[in-house]
Amino acid sequence: MENSKNNQSLKTIFVTGGVVSSLGKGICASIISGLLSARGFTTKLKKIDPYLNVDPGTLSPLEHGEVFVTEDGMEADLDLGHYERLGNSKTSKNDYITAGSIYQKILTKERKGLYEGKTVQVVPHFTTELKKAIFKGTEGYDFLICEIGGTVGDIENIAILETIRQIKAQENNVISAHVALMPYLSKAGEWKTKPIQHSIRDLLSYGIQTDILLCRMENENKENWKEKLSLLSNIKKENIFKALDAKSIYHAMLAYEEESICERVLQIFNLEKREKDLTFLTNYVNTIEKDLPKIDIAIVGKYVQCKDAYKSVEEALYHAAIANNIHANLHIINAEELKEEDLKNMHGIFIPGGFGKRAIDGKIKAIAYAKNNNIPLLGMCLGMQLSIIEALKSIFPEADSTEFTPNTPDPVVFKLSEWKKEDKTITLGENLGGTMRLGSYKSTLVENTLTKSLYNSEFLIERHRHRYVFNNKYKDFLEKVGLTISAYTSDNLVEAVERKDCDFFITGQFHAEFNSTIKKPNSLFLGFLKAIKNRL
Ligand code: GLN
């Protein structure tokens, strides 16, 4: 059997979920990574999702929440955002795997005849391909923490669990952590360990013995639940941890630290204890606890039914608020039903990215409101396109994006491929996936702009996910309608604009929200929150 792990000193933790979905496995995995990283270990976090989509690029944010974009241009599950923010692990194309992407590889090989007439099967072909993907790019790391999407017991998960069983049997230094819900029956006044027992037994039926158990509980459980679970589930008591609901994911991280989970992980792998530096975390949590001025920010979006659709935006706004010593209350407002009153008491307005025509009018209305009432506004991606359309409508009443009105007489925003056709000299970089501009690109900041002073650099480097761009034919009209270009891509595309007649009005063709952590909040978000604070 092919050995897929090249890095023999790599310690691997597979994280599965049990009893119910939405337990925050990704957060648990990220916290363990973050705590290891605070002790100087290098960690790589990965996720394997059991669904058959090749990647989530085509999924609506209403399905699984926001689509996160890695620096190298992969459209991935939002958990990868937690990996970067909490886990301190930069993600890449190698770090998000779907069952669909593995099947795609296998079927491509099969069509090319590379299996030399053999029957192509889940074992060994799927499992071998998945093993390669799991260990790809882990060279040089101390730890690999790999999260398995879904819940143990799902039909879709079986082939993935079989792969993990094989890895545990074949490789050294591989353990399994199970995150499962312990429900409380208020009528009976009891915590119930039975669903967890079943979940662990389920995992065992696939040949995987749980090594570490994290019990998700709503409140503190005073009963002898650890003894009971240890006895009935073959797990040492000291390997069972409580994972309580917390005020924030950063509070949860501190709570895990108090449980000494990291020390236990090190013991299991026979590693020495190390000094840790968690001051960044304690400072952040202490500031959250302070009584600080409160401000309200409207996120004028459209994927309002899913609470995770704007995850990175919310995180970036919180990071910047705490760094400015203020508390931000975020209000996700459905642009389709937007009324002016909704914005009346807002200290700031945020226009997030989005796809398709629905809810465009409401977002344009919010942009006009911010402009006319001098309310600080930050807009990302679609937010920039709409801020330009809103402004140019004063000269070209039918100004629009060809995304919404393909035959508009004034396509002020049009497809990237149209721009490519007009200027044959440009190259769009290797990250161009199909017609989409994806991943990190460096752009040049323009002198004497607020955008430049916020980045305090010659360049900005942010992540992208878009198919449409500003049409440079209309460039000369921007100044006339009050917009100043504040950044250009290397291909001379407009990357950011700002209004000098407002306290803060910046919109960019990128997604700055993907580059924000509590250690290093994003410069644009910091500036936005600072401007809001200065007006209090
Ligand atoms: N729909 C727009 C485009 O494709 C904006 C995309 C976004 O906001 N991420 O360009």
Side-chain angles (χ1 to χ4, degrees):
M1 182 64 66
E2 200 176 337
N3 192 327
S4 7
K5 188 174 140 187
N6 295 324
N7 172 1
Q8 286 312 314
S9 62
L10 184 76
K11 318 279 182 272
T12 306
I13 308 174
F14 286 108
V15 182
T16 52
V19 183
V20 291
S21 58
S22 307
L23 282 175
K25 274 189 310 295
I27 291 172
C28 293
S30 305
I31 288 179
I32 296 174
S33 165
L35 293 175
L36 286 165
S37 140
R39 288 163 168 82
F41 290 102
T42 52
T43 57
K44 172 107 289 227
L45 277 152
K46 291 200 181 202
K47 181 164 190 184
I48 310 171
D49 259 329
Y51 56 70
L52 294 183
N53 301 63
V54 173
D55 63 46
T58 54
L59 285 173
S60 157
L62 296 175
E63 291 281 310
H64 300 278
E66 156 193 294
V67 173
F68 187 78
V69 182
T70 63
E71 280 186 347
D72 59 357
M74 167 149 212
E75 297 174 281
D77 184 79
L78 65 86
D79 269 320
L80 274 76
H82 295 307
Y83 298 172
E84 295 204 1
R85 290 185 291 262
L86 265 185
N88 195 25
S89 171
K90 242 318 162 246
T91 60
S92 80
K93 278 193 170 100
N94 295 331
D95 305 330
Y96 186 62
I97 306 161
T98 66
S101 71
I102 300 294
Y103 281 118
Q104 191 187 43
K105 275 189 197 138
I106 296 169
L107 295 177
T108 310
K109 279 192 185 174
E110 187 270 342
R111 289 292 85 186
K112 286 186 182 158
L114 297 178
Y115 291 110
E116 294 167 348
K118 290 235 164 47
T119 309
V120 183
Q121 292 177 299
V122 170
V123 181
H125 302 105
F126 179 90
T127 50
T128 304
E129 210 58 61
L130 180 57
K131 279 182 215 170
K132 279 192 218 154
I134 288 174
F135 291 112
K136 190 168 179 195
T138 56
E139 297 80 15
Y141 284 91
D142 298 322
F143 280 90
L144 164 66
I145 302 173
C146 183
E147 176 193 353
I148 318 302
T151 310
V152 169
D154 292 347
I155 293 172
E156 291 172 304
N157 259 331
I158 297 174
I160 300 172
L161 294 176
E162 166 58 16
T163 312
I164 288 160
R165 182 196 68 74
Q166 292 181 12
I167 294 175
K168 270 196 102 179
Q170 290 169 343
E171 308 280 356
N172 296 322
N173 291 321
V174 181
I175 65 167
S176 126
H178 192 53
V179 184
L181 177 77
M182 186 173 327
Y184 179 71
L185 292 190
S186 52
K187 280 275 184 294
E190 281 174 32
W191 290 95
K192 292 294 177 193
T193 61
K194 194 77 79 195
I196 297 189
Q197 293 176 40
H198 280 296
S199 181
I200 289 171
R201 212 168 293 157
D202 231 352
L203 207 45
L204 200 53
S205 73
Y206 298 115
I208 301 171
Q209 167 65 50
T210 303
D211 300 297
I212 291 184
L213 177 64
L214 288 120
C215 297
R216 292 283 291 110
M217 295 181 271
E218 272 184 49
N219 301 302
E220 192 72 52
N221 177 351
K222 300 260 170 3
E223 295 164 19
N224 286 337
W225 58 279
K226 284 193 182 176
E227 282 78 1
K228 196 166 169 186
L229 273 173
S230 168
L231 187 68
L232 295 164
S233 309
N234 264 347
I235 305 170
K236 287 198 177 81
K237 191 181 154 200
E238 58 268 33
N239 290 0
I240 302 179
F241 299 90
K242 62 172 189 230
L244 297 185
D245 283 0
K247 191 166 170 183
S248 76
I249 50 181
Y250 305 102
H251 285 76
M253 190 159 172
L254 274 188
Y256 281 35
E257 174 63 18
E258 276 158 30
E259 287 269 286
S260 302
I261 187 163
C262 201
E263 264 75 37
R264 190 60 202 139
V265 167
L266 296 182
Q267 270 172 8
I268 293 174
F269 286 117
N270 289 320
L271 292 168
E272 296 281 320
K273 263 192 180 183
R274 282 197 191 170
E275 288 294 313
K276 63 191 174 207
D277 183 4
L278 286 168
T279 39
F280 71 97
L281 183 65
T282 42
N283 287 345
Y284 191 80
V285 169
N286 289 342
T287 316
I288 295 181
E289 291 301 328
K290 280 191 195 149
D291 186 19
L292 301 170
K294 292 187 181 56
I295 55 108
D296 293 279
I297 297 179
I299 300 174
V300 183
K302 73 166 175 179
Y303 308 112
V304 291
Q305 299 91 328
C306 176
K307 77 171 187 27
D308 286 337
Y310 298 108
K311 194 84 215 157
S312 293
V313 165
E314 292 173 323
E315 283 289 315
L317 289 169
Y318 286 134
H319 298 163
I322 292 298
N324 275 293
N325 281 304
I326 42 176
H327 285 308
N329 288 323
L330 307 182
H331 308 263
I332 298 183
I333 296 178
N334 185 355
E336 275 186 295
E337 293 161 10
L338 182 89
K339 292 181 286 306
E340 251 188 43
E341 299 92 85
D342 298 332
L343 302 175
K344 268 222 168 85
N345 298 319
M346 295 295 152
H347 297 89
I349 296 175
F350 183 88
I351 311 291
F355 291 81
K357 195 177 168 73
R358 188 168 63 82
I360 292 305
D361 294 343
K363 291 185 181 184
I364 290 187
K365 226 200 266 177
I367 292 167
Y369 183 87
K371 175 181 89 174
N372 297 331
N373 296 284
N374 189 20
I375 310 290
L377 176 134
L378 179 60
M380 301 280 74
C381 206
L382 180 66
M384 182 190 96
Q385 298 171 1
L386 295 180
S387 71
I388 294 178
I389 292 171
E390 189 280 331
L392 286 178
K393 270 182 187 292
S394 62
I395 303 179
F396 307 99
E398 290 190 65
D400 211 339
S401 163
T402 54
E403 179 178 10
F404 319 128
T405 311
N407 300 322
T408 174
D410 284 304
V412 301
V413 174
F414 69 167
K415 255 205 181 129
L416 198 54
S417 45
E418 292 299 314
W419 170 236
K420 238 175 117 176
K421 253 189 264 162
E422 279 178 28
D423 184 346
K424 300 243 179 328
T425 60
I426 67 162
T427 51
L428 285 161
E430 58 190 37
N431 285 341
L432 185 74
T435 52
M436 198 66 130
R437 188 159 171 258
L438 285 166
S440 269
Y441 286 90
K442 185 168 167 180
S443 318
T444 308
L445 288 155
V446 175
E447 286 303 333
N448 303 318
T449 61
L450 178 59
T451 314
K452 183 167 195 287
S453 72
L454 291 176
Y455 278 100
N456 190 21
S457 158
E458 294 297 308
F459 305 102
L460 69 82
I461 300 174
E462 299 285 9
R463 302 183 204 189
H464 299 74
R465 180 177 181 238
H466 64 115
R467 199 168 274 127
Y468 294 82
V469 292
F470 172 66
N471 182 348
N472 274 345
K473 262 193 205 153
Y474 294 86
K475 203 156 119 186
D476 292 343
F477 298 97
L478 288 180
E479 287 287 343
K480 292 197 179 87
V481 294
L483 290 170
T484 304
I485 299 170
S486 54
Y488 285 101
T489 67
S490 56
D491 314 324
N492 216 20
L493 293 167
V494 170
E495 181 79 328
V497 294
E498 62 182 49
R499 275 188 178 280
K500 297 211 187 288
D501 52 353
C502 291
D503 287 352
F504 189 102
F505 187 113
I506 297 181
T507 62
Q509 187 54 80
F510 42 84
H511 289 272
E513 67 269 21
F514 294 141
N515 280 329
S516 179
T517 61
I518 60 173
K519 273 189 192 165
K520 198 171 179 303
N522 181 273
S523 309
L524 274 190
F525 281 75
L526 275 177
F528 179 46
L529 269 294
K530 188 169 175 219
I532 292 174
K533 188 183 178 184
N534 288 345
R535 290 158 48 100
L536 290 178

